[in-house]
């Protein structure tokens, strides 16, 4: 108990090389990232990337050392985690140490430089160099201790949103505690008496501090988990910013006219995809400590909303849908079984999956600009007519025309079939049969006949002949076998699934 | 006296007179030409004959063939302007006056024949009278006439300078007006494009009648501005053409205005130079000298009473011959010259006061023009270094925002228009700086910055000239 704890995960999957930070999910007592070579295919897609397996062959010494370390290390080193650790896309999990039997975490809130997407960096106020701050994970029943160091220019406090704790630990500056003065460190300590997806955020001058990104997830895993086991657990924080194009400091005075909508403080095409293996049960936890409500829509699946920040929703009350509304102050857990494909997941408010655009520009949709555009170009050599036929042409132009510095084009991103032309609160859930290193940059291999194409490109097939083995497998496997555990008010087993063209009864 | 003696005297006088009249006019112009050449960098030419006219016509043709610069325009005016040529003839007049002042009054011969009524005899007399009234004062009068000639030279030179500066001013006005008209035309093009854009939007149903009307109104206002600017350019062209003496043909000036250079020397130096070198001040001083001299002569010679001397021959009816001298004397009973003296005294005092006033105006003029020039130059620098680059950057950045559809076409055109309007203001500031420069030149009476060394005036010339003349006649 005295040394830093770590834990092994042995699971199906690949080992790979950690990309950044230390999630701690594979750590020797000596620390560092592990590269285990073995015949075991040990993999994990983590928020830090892959731990790379380069070879099937395993040097004996490596196996031996692993064994020895496992045996010789302190009991805590071999301790299994009682939960699937949460992956925070574009984020990380907060490390802890054990002090006096208490899980101790360290948070420093300070001004940071944060990349919203490649090509745009802003000033933000984050925890431990990040916004959102690192995800806190603990188990119901843990006693937790937080050392909070304030390096902001003004005082702050951290409120543990949704957590049941003593009044003086609630973190409302002036009400629960005196504010943490700049430069000082305060301690919060309390015992966790609940489970669910909670959050933490600044509660001193919160209009500014939250507006600048001071928030994060606080996930409390149940002591006795119930319900179907979740294979992948993701956490996505929703927020909005206004950054005047050409500037690098968010304007926190803006209340309704935001221009950047972020998932874990990133926008598309800078959002990390959510990597999943087909057939896995996936949980995605959404949190919202911002100003706007966001209806998050997931393509290709029907999910159930299984949790709020007060814990798990009873199964009888699970409602199936494809869009979950997350309002400010709420968290929502959704669960579904993954089917192969590249699935968009985005806020369904039409402007939210867009990067900054002008809102009082002249309406030029359908306006014939021929001739007058040339006249204007004689006066202004860089002028090009835009918007007559919609925004797609503009998105192409924006690639090679200069914009204001530190500004993202309104829509961009390229997939395997061409320009995606999205931005903002948009990401992709990539479900693969097997996850290999580099999968996050790849695209789904669509079986023949399952891609919308021009007439005549693919031979027409009848639905009951198309099903290739794989899709059939996965199509059915996500079906009633899992959902049968869910009780009433369900549709029949023949699910609406992409690979199933029609119901069996025709 | 015998007839032969009289004839000889007359012929000698005639010869002298003839000799005086034909020489010296060209030399009289030379100081003018020299001073104006030195102060303007261009020589003035006084055309007094047809072949000179032809030569100048060729030169004028060559000058007009290319776009005029400021200096070439000045040269054109100096050689071609009919008004200046008329001015130069004043020198001819003054020169003639000077000659006339040196001329002795002609003797008068009188003859009378009378017949006795009834034819019983006749009487006749012949007399020769020479007025002596002007004799003692003649040298003084010649001096005065020479001073007058000198003063005329100064005034003519001053006129040439004034004309040259007026040409410069008109040139600068024209350059600015043409630049402004060209710039307003560019603004008009931008606004027209905006109005056309609005029309397309209206056709597609994307803007309402209110916005469309506003855009059209904006375009119409700019068209009015354009008309005014073009008209101003035409008027400025006429003004310059008039000064140059050319018709509104297809002559043109170099486009654009540069900034005038800095002035060497502070206000004090320039004021001192101005007081020394202003030609009109020199003329004023001469006038005082003239009047003082005239007063002096009048005072000295007012008691000279002898009017005429002469001889007379008379043959009486009874055949008696009479011959003898005549003498007439004016009696200063009523007119003792007190009026003349008083007048001259008054004129002389007035002349002094005028000189004081003129000096005051010169000093004030130098100060004011210098201050204005300094502040205008700073203003043009401000435009050039700060405002115009900022406006250009506004357009460049607006273009970037437009590329990302963060602002629209109208705002981009507005930024473009603001840039052009800043350019127009810059041109106007340049023109005002040039005007201040020209005013300062006018105030100082010399080109700026001032040259080092000897200050040149016309005064030494008078002594030499007069002595030369006297030598000839005496």
């Amino acid at each position: 108990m005295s040394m830093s704890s770590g834990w092994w995960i042995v699971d199906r999957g690949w080992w790979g090389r950690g990309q950044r930070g230390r999630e701690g999910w594979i750590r020797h007592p000596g620390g560092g990232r592990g590269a285990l070579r073995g015949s075991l295919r040990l993999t994990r897609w983590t928020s830090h990337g892959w731990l790379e397996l380069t070879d099937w062959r395993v040097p004996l010494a490596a196996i031996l050392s692993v064994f020895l370390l496992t045996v010789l290390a302190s009991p805590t080193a071999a301790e299994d985690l009682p939960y699937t650790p949460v992956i925070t896309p574009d984020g990380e999990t907060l490390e802890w140490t054990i002090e006096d039997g208490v899980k101790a975490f360290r948070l420093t809130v300070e001004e940071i430089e944060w990349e919203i997407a490649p090509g745009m960096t802003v000033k933000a106020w984050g925890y431990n160099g990040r916004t959102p701050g690192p995800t806190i994970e603990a188990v119901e029943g843990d006693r937790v201790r937080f050392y909070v160091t304030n390096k902001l220019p003004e005082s702050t406090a951290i409120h543990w949103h949704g957590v049941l704790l003593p009044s003086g630990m609630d973190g409302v500056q002036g009400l629960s505690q005196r504010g943490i003065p700049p430069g000082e460190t305060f301690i919060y300590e309390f015992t966790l008496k609940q489970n669910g997806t909670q959050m933490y955020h600044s509660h001193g001058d919160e209009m500014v501090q939250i507006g600048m990104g001071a928030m994060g997830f606080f996930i409390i895993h149940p002591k006795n988990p119930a319900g179907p086991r979740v294979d992948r657990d993701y956490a996505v924080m929703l927020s909005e910013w206004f950054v005047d194009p050409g500037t690098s400091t968010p304007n926190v005075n803006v209340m309704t006219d935001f221009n950047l909508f972020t998932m874990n403080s990133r926008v598309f095409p800078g959002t990390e995809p959510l990597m999943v293996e087909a057939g896995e049960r996936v949980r995605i936890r959404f949190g919202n400590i911002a100003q706007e409500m966001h209806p998050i829509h997931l393509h290709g699946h029907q999910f159930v909303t299984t949790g709020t920040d007060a814990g798990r929703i009873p199964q009888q009350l699970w409602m199936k849908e494809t869009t979950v509304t997350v309002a400010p102050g709420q968290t929502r857990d959704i669960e579904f079984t993954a089917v192969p494909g590249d699935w968009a997941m985005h806020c369904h408010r039409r402007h939210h999956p867009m990067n900054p655009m002008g809102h009082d520009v002249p309406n030029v949709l359908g306006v014939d600009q021929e001739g007058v555009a040339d006249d204007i170009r004689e006066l202004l050599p860089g002028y090009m007519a835009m918007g007559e036929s919609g925004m797609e042409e503009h998105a192409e132009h924006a690639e090679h025309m200069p914009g204001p510095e530190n500004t993202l084009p309104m829509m961009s991103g390229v997939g395997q079939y061409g320009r995606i032309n999205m931005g903002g609160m948009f990401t992709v859930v990539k479900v693969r049969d097997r996850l290999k290193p580099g999968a996050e940059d790849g695209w789904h291999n669509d079986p023949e006949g399952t891609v919308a194409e021009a007439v005549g490109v693919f031979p027409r097939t009848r639905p009951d002949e198309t099903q290739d083995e794989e899709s059939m497998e996965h199509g059915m496997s996500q079906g009633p076998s899992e959902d049968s555990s869910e009780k009433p008010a369900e549709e029949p087993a023949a699910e609406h699934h992409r690979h199933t063209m029609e119901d069996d009864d025709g | 006296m015998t007839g032969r003696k009289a004839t000889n005297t007359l012929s000698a006088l005639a010869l002298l007179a003839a000799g005086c009249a034909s020489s010296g006019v060209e030399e009289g112009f030379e100081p003018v030409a020299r001073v104006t050449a030195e102060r303007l960098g261009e020589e003035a030419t006084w055309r007094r004959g047809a072949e000179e006219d032809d030569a100048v016509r060729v030169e004028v043709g060559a000058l007009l063939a290319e776009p005029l610069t400021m200096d070439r325009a000045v040269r054109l005016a100096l050689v071609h302007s009919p008004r200046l040529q008329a001015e130069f003839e004043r020198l001819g007049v003054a020169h003639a006056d000077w000659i006339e002042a040196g001329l002795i009054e002609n003797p008068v011969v009188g003859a009378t024949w009378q017949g006795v009524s009834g034819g019983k005899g006749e009487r006749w007399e012949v007399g020769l009278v020479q007025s002596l009234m002007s004799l003692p004062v003649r040298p003084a009068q010649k001096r005065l006439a020479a001073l007058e000639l000198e003063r005329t030279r100064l005034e003519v030179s001053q006129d040439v300078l004034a004309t040259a500066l007026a040409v410069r001013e008109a040139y600068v006005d024209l350059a600015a007006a043409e630049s402004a008209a060209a710039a307003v035309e560019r603004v008009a093009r931008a606004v027209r494009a905006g109005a056309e854009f609005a029309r397309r939007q209206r056709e597609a149903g994307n803007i309402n009648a209110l916005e469309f009307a506003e855009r059209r109104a904006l375009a119409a206002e700019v068209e009015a501005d354009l008309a005014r600017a073009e008209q101003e350019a035409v008027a400025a062209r006429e003004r310059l053409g008039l000064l140059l003496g050319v018709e509104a043909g297809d002559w043109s000036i170099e486009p654009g205005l540069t900034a005038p250079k800095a002035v060497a020397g502070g206000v004090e130096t320039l004021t001192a130079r101005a007081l020394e070198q202003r030609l009109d001040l020199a003329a004023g001083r001469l006038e005082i000298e003239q009047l003082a001299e005239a007063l002096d002569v009048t005072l000295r010679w007012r008691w000279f009473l002898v009017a005429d001397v002469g001889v007379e021959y008379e043959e009486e009816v009874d055949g008696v011959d009479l011959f003898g001298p005549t003498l007439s004397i004016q009696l200063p009973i009523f007119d003792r010259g007190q009026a003349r003296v008083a007048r001259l005294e008054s004129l002389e005092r007035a002349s002094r006061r005028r000189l004081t006033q003129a000096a005051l105006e010169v000093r004030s003029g130098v100060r004011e023009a210098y201050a204005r020039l300094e502040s205008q130059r700073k203003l043009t620098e401000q435009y050039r270094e700060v405002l115009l680059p900022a406006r250009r950057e506004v357009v460049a950045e607006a273009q970037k925002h437009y590329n990302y559809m963060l602002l629209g076409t109208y705002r981009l055109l507005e930024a473009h228009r603001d840039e052009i309007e800043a350019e127009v203001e810059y041109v106007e500031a340049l023109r005002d700086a040039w005007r201040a420069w020209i005013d300062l030149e006018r105030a100082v009476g010399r080109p700026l910055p001032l040259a080092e060394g000897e200050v040149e005036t016309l005064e030494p010339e008078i002594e030499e000239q007069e002595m030369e003349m006297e030598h000839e006649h005496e």
Side-chain angles (χ1 to χ4, degrees):
Chain A
M1 283 274 192
S2 61
M3 54 179 289
S4 51
S5 71
W7 60 99
W8 299 113
I9 293 290
V10 174
D11 206 341
R12 60 193 178 92
W14 291 95
W15 282 104
R17 181 182 53 229
Q19 279 177 358
R20 61 169 171 243
R22 287 186 298 184
E23 195 205 32
W25 81 270
I26 170 73
R27 277 167 64 190
H28 323 142
R33 295 181 274 270
L36 183 68
R37 297 158 176 264
S39 58
L40 292 168
R41 285 176 167 265
L42 298 162
T43 68
R44 200 65 179 177
W45 168 250
T46 74
S47 58
H48 310 293
W50 295 99
L51 295 186
E52 179 186 85
L53 171 74
T54 55
D55 206 315
W56 278 100
R57 291 180 296 279
V58 177
L60 192 61
I63 295 183
L64 214 55
S65 55
V66 164
F67 176 71
L68 284 171
L69 286 165
T70 308
V71 163
L72 297 175
S74 74
T76 56
E79 189 180 61
D80 265 16
L81 272 181
Y83 54 82
T84 308
V86 170
I87 303 169
T88 312
D90 296 304
E92 67 178 12
T93 301
L94 187 57
E95 293 172 4
W96 73 86
T97 60
I98 305 288
E99 299 178 351
D100 321 313
V102 162
K103 258 185 194 160
F105 299 85
R106 281 171 166 71
L107 286 171
T108 303
V109 57
E110 60 190 340
E111 185 178 290
I112 61 172
E113 291 273 304
W114 178 254
E115 186 191 74
I116 296 268
M120 182 172 183
T121 308
V122 298
K123 213 182 303 188
W125 287 3
Y127 296 100
N128 293 15
R130 313 193 134 270
T131 167
T135 299
I136 299 170
E137 282 190 83
V139 181
E140 184 179 1
D142 284 350
R143 186 156 178 87
V144 289
R145 179 183 294 161
F146 297 95
Y147 293 91
V148 177
T149 306
N150 179 10
K151 290 195 181 159
L152 293 178
E154 58 177 0
S155 61
T156 190
I158 297 190
H159 167 61
W160 316 96
H161 182 105
V163 181
L164 306 169
L165 34 63
S167 171
M169 290 295 173
D170 198 35
V172 178
Q173 182 173 319
L175 184 66
S176 325
Q177 60 169 92
R178 64 185 176 96
I180 310 174
E184 290 193 24
T185 303
F186 276 26
I187 302 181
Y188 296 81
E189 190 171 323
F190 43 89
T191 306
L192 301 174
K193 305 182 230 182
Q194 70 201 99
N195 61 73
T197 305
Q198 284 74 37
M199 299 180 283
Y200 67 95
H201 60 85
S202 158
H203 222 293
D205 188 14
E206 54 170 298
M207 174 187 108
V208 173
Q209 293 183 16
I210 297 178
M212 292 291 279
M215 58 210 160
F217 275 108
F218 187 170
I219 295 169
I220 307 176
H221 294 279
K223 203 183 198 66
N224 304 306
R229 180 166 174 259
V230 165
D231 304 307
R232 301 267 171 189
D233 207 334
Y234 281 103
V236 176
M237 182 70 77
L238 309 172
S239 187
E240 318 92 30
W241 312 63
F242 177 78
V243 182
D244 201 358
T247 68
S248 60
T249 305
N251 185 351
V252 296
N253 298 320
V254 168
M255 196 169 79
T256 57
D257 196 14
F258 302 101
N259 64 2
L260 283 169
F261 305 93
T262 58
M263 290 175 154
N264 286 344
S265 299
R266 301 272 291 178
V267 298
F268 185 79
T271 46
E272 205 176 273
L274 277 60
M275 304 304 298
V276 175
E277 266 197 9
E280 284 184 333
R281 188 172 180 86
V282 180
R283 174 188 292 138
I284 307 182
R285 308 166 188 258
F286 296 103
N288 187 344
I289 303 284
Q291 284 260 108
E292 309 248 356
M293 65 83 133
H294 297 286
I296 304 295
H297 175 61
L298 173 64
H299 290 218
H301 300 77
Q302 295 167 338
F303 54 74
V304 285
T305 307
T306 60
T308 66
D309 57 355
R312 200 145 176 90
I313 298 173
Q315 256 176 267
Q316 315 87 288
L317 299 177
W318 286 0
M319 189 172 72
K320 258 196 187 180
E321 55 181 347
T322 63
T323 302
V324 59
T325 301
V326 189
Q330 293 184 338
T331 70
R332 290 284 180 267
D333 302 346
I334 64 170
E335 290 176 25
F336 57 92
T337 305
V339 298
D342 291 332
W343 304 109
M345 184 169 77
H346 59 88
C347 175
H348 219 287
R349 293 183 68 172
R350 205 158 46 79
H351 278 219
H352 287 195
M354 289 279 128
N355 286 332
M357 57 184 289
H359 289 276
D360 50 12
V361 292
N363 184 0
V364 291
L365 193 62
V367 173
D368 173 22
Q369 297 182 46
E370 193 176 320
V372 65
D374 296 322
D375 290 340
I376 298 176
R377 199 172 310 118
E378 280 178 31
L379 306 166
L380 297 158
Y383 180 84
M384 286 194 74
M386 280 195 255
E388 181 184 342
S389 54
M391 297 292 169
E392 185 182 350
E393 191 194 1
H394 158 68
E396 283 171 23
H397 289 319
E399 290 219 307
H400 56 83
M401 295 173 79
E405 57 179 355
N406 204 42
T407 305
L408 298 169
M410 183 182 6
M411 41 204 224
S412 60
V414 180
Q416 65 172 311
Y417 293 109
R419 307 186 61 88
I420 299 178
N421 287 343
M422 302 294 287
M425 226 168 222
F426 182 98
T427 188
V428 182
V429 178
K430 294 191 182 179
V431 185
R432 305 282 178 267
D433 296 327
R434 281 201 199 84
L435 287 177
K436 303 183 177 114
E440 68 273 19
D441 296 324
W443 302 103
H444 181 245
N445 196 2
D446 294 311
E448 190 178 315
T450 67
V451 175
E453 251 294 352
V455 173
V457 171
F458 297 124
R460 287 197 47 173
T461 54
R462 294 181 52 217
D464 47 353
E465 286 166 12
T466 40
Q467 311 303 326
D468 44 323
E469 293 308 297
E470 224 176 286
S471 61
M472 276 299 286
E473 244 171 58
H474 293 295
M476 288 300 111
S477 76
Q478 76 93 44
S481 57
E482 306 280 344
D483 294 349
S484 58
S485 62
E486 305 152 14
K487 276 298 169 45
E490 304 302 1
E491 296 86 338
E495 301 285 24
H496 306 295
H497 185 260
R498 197 175 81 101
H499 291 293
T500 314
M501 304 292 242
E502 56 223 320
D503 290 332
D504 288 351
D505 49 358
Chain B
M1 129 160 151
T2 62
R4 208 174 44 233
K5 206 169 170 189
T7 319
N8 285 343
T9 318
L10 279 171
S11 348
L13 286 170
L15 276 168
L16 285 166
C20 289
S22 63
S23 70
V25 172
E26 276 80 22
E27 282 101 29
F29 185 73
E30 211 208 285
V32 173
R34 193 157 23 95
V35 164
T36 57
E38 176 237 281
R39 292 190 182 203
L40 291 175
E42 303 289 342
E43 259 201 31
T45 314
W46 183 11
R47 289 180 274 124
R48 300 176 67 235
E51 48 184 65
E52 285 163 324
D53 279 352
D54 290 335
V56 158
R57 201 170 298 132
V58 169
E59 188 182 353
V60 165
L63 282 170
L64 289 177
E66 288 167 9
L68 291 170
T69 62
M70 203 185 289
D71 292 336
R72 279 214 287 273
V74 168
R75 169 131 195 88
L76 186 55
L78 292 186
V79 302
H80 182 70
S81 164
R83 197 186 63 81
L84 264 189
Q85 297 298 322
E87 268 299 299
F88 292 157
E89 296 301 333
R90 279 179 57 193
L91 289 173
V93 169
H95 186 91
D97 288 345
W98 173 74
I99 291 174
E100 200 174 47
L103 296 176
I104 305 169
E105 281 189 36
N106 293 329
V108 177
V109 170
T112 311
W113 181 88
Q114 288 162 319
V116 175
S117 56
K120 294 190 188 98
E122 53 188 34
R123 171 185 174 275
W124 59 282
E125 63 182 84
V126 171
L128 178 69
V129 175
Q130 171 70 51
S131 169
L132 295 181
M133 280 299 289
S134 60
L135 201 61
V137 304
R138 196 178 62 82
Q141 279 184 334
K142 238 184 112 78
R143 265 201 312 282
L144 285 172
L147 282 174
E148 185 63 27
L149 177 59
E150 209 37 58
R151 208 161 70 85
T152 308
R153 276 202 212 113
L154 288 172
E155 284 176 359
V156 167
S157 302
Q158 178 74 354
D159 198 338
V160 171
L161 284 178
T163 304
L165 292 176
V167 165
R168 286 218 184 119
E169 217 167 44
Y171 181 94
V172 161
D173 282 351
L174 179 57
E178 283 184 350
S179 268
V184 175
E185 207 263 335
R186 279 161 59 208
V187 170
R189 280 168 62 196
V191 176
R192 276 181 214 137
E196 178 59 22
F197 194 89
R199 196 179 63 76
R200 306 282 181 95
Q201 272 193 301
R202 181 90 184 113
E203 267 172 19
N206 289 27
I207 60 170
N208 54 30
L210 170 62
E211 190 178 340
F212 186 39
E214 283 175 343
R215 303 256 168 231
R216 285 203 319 275
L218 205 65
E221 280 169 6
V222 168
E223 298 292 340
D225 290 342
L226 179 59
R228 273 196 293 274
E230 285 174 344
Q231 179 211 328
E232 174 58 34
V234 167
R237 201 183 139 84
E238 274 308 314
R239 285 199 298 274
L240 180 59
L242 198 60
L243 279 169
L244 297 177
V246 300
E247 297 285 351
D250 55 359
W251 60 271
S252 63
I253 62 170
E254 291 272 350
L257 272 181
T258 58
K261 300 192 184 16
V263 176
V267 185
E268 313 307 337
T269 326
L270 291 171
T271 309
R273 297 290 183 125
L275 291 174
E276 279 175 67
Q277 294 173 42
R278 277 280 289 256
L279 295 173
D280 52 353
L281 289 184
R285 280 181 223 119
L286 262 186
E287 194 184 42
I288 296 172
E289 212 182 300
Q290 270 181 304
L291 289 166
E293 173 103 8
L295 182 60
D296 183 52
V297 163
T298 309
L299 284 169
R300 246 194 290 151
W301 291 104
R302 66 177 163 174
W303 299 119
F304 181 73
L305 306 171
V306 177
D308 300 318
V309 296
V311 293
E312 211 177 276
Y313 172 80
E314 207 181 295
E315 223 180 82
E316 292 291 330
V317 174
D318 52 4
V320 173
D321 282 348
L322 298 169
F323 181 77
T326 62
L327 176 71
S328 63
I329 295 178
Q330 217 193 81
L331 292 178
I333 296 177
F334 306 111
D335 178 5
R336 291 189 295 284
Q338 67 272 44
R340 272 177 281 140
V341 168
R343 182 190 299 120
L344 284 170
E345 278 177 348
S346 215
L347 285 173
E348 199 232 354
R349 264 199 308 275
S351 189
R352 279 185 205 282
R353 300 284 184 232
R354 270 202 301 278
L355 186 65
T356 310
Q357 173 67 17
L360 207 67
E361 283 172 5
V362 164
R363 279 199 296 273
S364 169
V366 169
R367 269 197 307 270
E368 193 269 334
Y370 186 85
R372 188 152 42 97
L373 178 60
E374 280 304 293
S375 89
Q376 279 300 131
R377 287 194 65 255
K378 281 205 187 71
L379 189 60
T380 61
E381 208 176 284
Q382 174 79 359
Y383 273 107
R384 198 173 40 248
E385 304 294 320
V386 179
L387 180 57
L388 286 181
R391 283 272 166 229
R392 282 188 199 121
E393 192 170 334
V394 166
V395 172
E397 286 295 316
Q399 178 71 61
K400 287 184 191 164
H401 281 245
Y402 172 82
N403 289 346
Y404 272 32
M405 294 195 86
L406 297 164
L407 54 80
T409 302
Y410 296 119
R411 265 205 65 192
L412 187 56
L413 289 174
E414 268 167 39
H416 178 67
R417 176 178 179 164
D418 288 342
E419 187 205 340
I420 298 173
E421 287 179 352
E423 282 176 20
V424 170
E425 285 178 33
Y426 175 55
V427 164
E428 286 176 356
L430 280 176
R431 179 200 62 200
D432 292 343
W434 267 109
R435 280 215 184 125
W437 172 281
I438 290 164
D439 287 344
L440 188 56
E441 260 190 308
R442 193 176 285 132
V444 172
R446 285 200 70 99
L448 308 164
L450 301 179
E452 303 296 329
E454 189 84 300
V455 166
E456 184 165 319
T457 68
L458 297 178
E459 275 145 39
E461 305 291 335
I462 301 173
E463 263 70 33
E464 285 177 72
Q465 202 81 30
E466 197 176 341
M467 270 166 39
E468 231 172 40
M469 283 304 165
E470 286 193 17
H471 206 72
E472 262 191 68
H473 289 286
E474 244 68 334

